[in-house]
């Protein structure tokens, strides 16, 4: 069930009404709300495909028994723990690395990558005594299947979500209002920015014409894809955070202005935070983190980002993407003694970081390594394309030269729409760099606030009605 559907709207209105009514039963409020969350999670997940339910049920029961046996000591305890970790990973590894002949016949279970890591966090945290193993399997089921985050995160930790599931949540106007605002901002990012940019990106990256695309079009598509991916995924995260906030839950922040990062290391502290912190806590630190010799630190960084690449996909594109970010991190650490002495303006650091990240995302967007090669070859033709632009401008005028250089189909209106909404998003990102958007909007006069709300809603409706709505990119992972 997609957040961006009337089905979900009906589902959530019914659920939240019952959820808040249940809060009035003082003695049994927690139990009734827990049952409602569980039933809602089952309906939400099964709506995608009833065949997926056994996979999340498997993760739930495996996690429960792993938690119950987490107190085993000695060699036997380590073997049992390792067996549970491997068993938990098996479905994810199977679906990601099944023989290519099988993949066309297999449906990837909704949210498998996300709830597997959530399940692993429970198993590992129970083993390391960060949380106490739940005696009731129902609580484990609530934790792993919590419907706002089960599809695409943010990936939850048991120490954060389980205590919240054990308390009653009464209606709170501020939570509800903030939740709606966060959800609406996520919808703006998805419909008005990501899906609008996707049309151009898909046109340029189409396998049938990729080899013939001019360099300016490829460069613009690379930049557009960076914003498309960010707004698509962070848009979903905002919707999940908004739904949770309306219910009274805090599921954490998943993005924090990553394209305003001043280094690749800073970027990963801001991008897909729930995954990057998961990898830090469960891969990088257990490998030794930064407490070991320098060569080991570099190896740990490479391994951590290779795991990130493998988590995203089974093709060499994702492996190289992960390896590239690992190398970025190593280079950044090695150059730190020099870069700290050079006073470089932040805008230059931001621009360099954005370029490095965007280059890596060529591997993320291209379907094959062959396509990556075509993109690189196309960009290398830039001097030739500049000459063609000058020639076309002299013969047909600036407008036609621009159309040819950037491979613009049809009129310029759609491109102008994309650029305007992207500019609005960039301005909003800069404005909220040091202060949250919620704080800023609350500080404005009532008339200004409602004007902003109406404008945002009208933009969402306008782009939603264009019929350009696409699936969330990370649903493929």
């Amino acid at each position: 069930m997609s957040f961006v559907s009337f089905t979900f709207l009906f589902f959530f209105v019914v659920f939240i009404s019952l959820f808040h009514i249940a809060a009035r039963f003082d003695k049994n409020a927690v139990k009734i709300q827990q049952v409602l969350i569980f039933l809602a999670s089952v309906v939400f997940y099964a709506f995608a495909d009833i065949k997926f339910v056994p996979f999340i049920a498997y993760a739930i029961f495996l996690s429960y028994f792993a938690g119950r046996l987490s107190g085993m000591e000695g060699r036997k305890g380590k073997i049992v723990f390792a067996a549970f970790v491997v068993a938990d990973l098996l479905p994810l590894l199977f679906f990601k690395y099944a023989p290519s002949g099988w993949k066309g016949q297999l449906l990837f279970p909704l949210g498998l990558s996300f709830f597997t890591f959530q399940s692993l966090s429970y198993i590992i945290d129970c083993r390391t005594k960060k949380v106490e193993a739940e005696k009731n399997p129902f609580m484990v089921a609530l934790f792993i299947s919590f419907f706002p985050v089960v599809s695409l995160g943010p990936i939850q930790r048991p120490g954060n979500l389980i205590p919240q599931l054990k308390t009653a949540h009464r209606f709170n106007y501020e939570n509800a209002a903030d939740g709606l605002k966060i959800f609406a901002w996520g919808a703006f990012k998805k419909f008005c920015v990501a899906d609008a940019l996707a049309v151009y990106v898909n046109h340029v990256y189409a396998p049938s014409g990729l080899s013939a695309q001019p360099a300016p079009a490829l460069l613009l598509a690379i930049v557009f894809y960076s914003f498309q991916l960010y707004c698509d995924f962070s848009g979903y995260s905002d919707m999940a955070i908004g739904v949770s906030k309306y219910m009274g839950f805090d599921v954490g922040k998943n993005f924090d202005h990553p394209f305003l990062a001043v280094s690749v290391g800073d970027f990963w502290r801001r991008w897909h935070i729930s995954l990057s912190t998961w990898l830090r806590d469960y891969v990088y630190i257990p490998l030794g983190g930064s407490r070991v010799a320098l060569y080991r630190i570099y190896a740990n960084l490479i391994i951590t980002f290779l795991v990130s690449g493998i988590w995203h996909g089974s093709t060499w594109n994702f492996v190289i993407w992960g390896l590239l970010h690992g190398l970025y991190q190593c280079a950044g650490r090695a150059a730190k003694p020099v870069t700290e002495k050079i006073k470089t303006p932040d805008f230059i650091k931001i621009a360099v970081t954005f370029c490095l990240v965007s280059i890596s995302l060529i591997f993320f967007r291209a379907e094959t390594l062959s396509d990556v090669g075509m993109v690189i070859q196309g960009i290398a033709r830039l001097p030739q394309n500049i000459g063609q632009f000058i020639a076309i401008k002299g013969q047909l005028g600036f407008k036609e030269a621009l159309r040819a250089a950037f491979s613009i189909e049809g009129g310029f209106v759609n491109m102008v729409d994309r650029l305007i909404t992207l500019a609005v998003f960039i301005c909003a990102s800069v404005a909220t760099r040091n202060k949250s958007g919620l704080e800023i909007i609350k500080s404005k006069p009532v008339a200004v606030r409602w004007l902003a709300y109406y404008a945002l809603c009208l933009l969402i409706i306008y782009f939603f009605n264009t019929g350009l709505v696409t699936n969330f990119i990370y649903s493929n992972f």
Side-chain angles (χ1 to χ4, degrees), residues 201-213 365-368 370-372 374-375:
V201 173
N202 292 342
H203 162 64
V204 173
Y205 271 94
S208 58
L210 183 59
S211 61
Q213 291 292 352
R365 177 57 182 83
E367 294 181 12
T368 64
S370 176
D371 288 350
V372 173
M374 282 190 272
V375 170

Side-chain angles (χ1 to χ4, degrees), residues 11-21 171 243 246-247:
F11 160 84
F12 189 70
V13 168
V14 172
F15 163 77
I16 203 67
S17 300
L18 295 173
F19 187 74
H20 286 139
I21 290 171
F171 178 77
V243 168
Y246 197 107
M247 294 166 61

Side-chain angles (χ1 to χ4, degrees), residues 21-98:
I21 290 171
R24 295 178 178 272
F25 296 88
D26 292 334
K27 292 183 179 180
N28 298 309
V30 174
K31 290 182 179 179
I32 296 172
Q33 287 188 330
Q34 287 175 348
V35 170
L36 286 171
I37 291 173
F38 178 72
L39 292 175
S41 298
V42 171
V43 171
F44 181 90
Y45 193 77
F47 194 87
D49 196 322
I50 194 74
K51 297 174 185 175
F52 296 161
V53 174
F55 294 98
I56 195 167
Y58 170 83
I60 289 167
F61 285 107
L62 195 76
S63 300
Y64 171 72
F65 288 113
R68 297 300 292 157
L69 296 173
S70 62
M72 294 178 65
E73 301 292 342
R75 187 168 180 270
K76 187 176 180 180
K78 292 179 181 178
I79 292 172
V80 170
F81 168 69
F84 274 118
V85 169
V86 172
D88 200 25
L89 285 168
L90 281 177
L92 180 61
L93 294 173
F94 172 77
F95 279 95
K96 281 194 179 287
Y97 295 95

Side-chain angles (χ1 to χ4, degrees), residues 199-200 203 399-416 418:
V199 177
Y200 182 78
H203 162 64
K399 189 175 180 179
E400 290 306 313
L402 206 61
R403 187 192 303 277
F406 290 98
S407 189
I408 298 172
E409 289 188 319
F412 283 84
V413 175
N414 291 334
M415 179 62 78
V416 172
R418 294 176 194 125

Side-chain angles (χ1 to χ4, degrees), residues 330-348:
C330 293
R333 180 176 283 270
K336 195 172 182 179
V338 177
T339 55
E340 284 182 340
K341 294 177 182 177
I342 302 172
K343 292 184 178 180
T344 307
D346 278 356
F347 76 90
I348 294 178

